[in-house]
Amino acid sequence: VARVAFRDARLTSRTRQIMHIPSDYGWTLIAIGGACAATIFGSIKVSLARRKFGVEYPTLYAESSHKNAKAFNCVQRAHQQTLEWMAPVMCLTASTGLVFPLAAAVSCGVWTVGKLLYIQGYSSGDPNGRHLGGAIAHLGDLPLIVMAFVAGNKVLNA
């Protein structure tokens, strides 16, 4: 267990609180870093789709009148939806990892695999292609949400 000392503003200058970081927390950090692969993958897919379908910046989504609107918008939406979930999943992984480091890392890893499949499937141009990856991603994010409540309870009752 690593020990990190920090000052609590409510305590006197001579008093320190110690935060314990589990020795397996490194796996949590690795999972968080790995999750960035999903956003990079999505970003590359959008860049390639912009070139392929002729959708120029700063246009976020192609207008419905654009001949390749559906194909481009599926790629863009896959990336955007991944970004929408990125912050909550990263916060949940980092915080629950302080109590359940391996479970948080595995859940984040499952979420990442799901998002990679989600992006790949949705980018096919068929919105139904997102379902498998979305289901797998929820097998990662839902446990993180539950772990947050369990971890909070565990910390409050310590």
Side-chain angles (χ1 to χ4, degrees):
V1 173
R3 301 178 92 185
V4 178
F6 63 94
R7 292 193 191 276
D8 185 324
R10 296 170 292 159
L11 303 174
T12 66
S13 62
R14 287 188 240 178
T15 308
R16 292 190 184 267
Q17 237 180 356
I18 302 295
M19 182 171 112
H20 297 279
I21 298 176
S23 58
D24 289 338
Y25 192 74
W27 292 110
T28 302
L29 298 175
I30 290 169
I32 290 170
C36 293
T39 61
I40 293 168
F41 179 63
S43 180
I44 290 168
K45 298 282 271 182
V46 171
S47 291
L48 293 173
R50 281 188 183 283
R51 222 173 287 143
K52 180 179 179 179
F53 300 124
V55 178
E56 300 295 324
Y57 286 105
T59 305
L60 187 58
Y61 290 98
E63 296 291 330
S64 60
S65 60
H66 190 286
K67 66 180 180 176
N68 296 308
K70 182 177 180 185
F72 176 77
N73 290 345
C74 282
V75 178
Q76 176 62 20
R77 184 66 198 130
H79 180 52
Q80 187 68 36
Q81 202 279 343
T82 300
L83 293 174
E84 290 165 4
W85 271 92
M86 188 73 170
V89 168
M90 298 304 96
C91 290
L92 287 165
T93 301
S95 59
T96 61
L98 291 169
V99 179
F100 306 112
L102 293 176
V106 168
S107 294
C108 184
V110 169
W111 180 84
T112 301
V113 169
K115 283 299 169 184
L116 291 169
L117 292 171
Y118 180 91
I119 292 167
Q120 186 64 33
Y122 209 162
S123 295
S124 69
D126 178 9
N128 291 325
R130 73 191 193 281
H131 294 305
L132 174 63
I136 292 170
H138 285 313
L139 292 175
D141 59 36
L142 293 175
L144 286 168
I145 293 167
V146 171
M147 276 190 277
F149 287 101
V150 175
N153 184 56
K154 187 173 180 178
V155 169
L156 288 172
N157 292 307

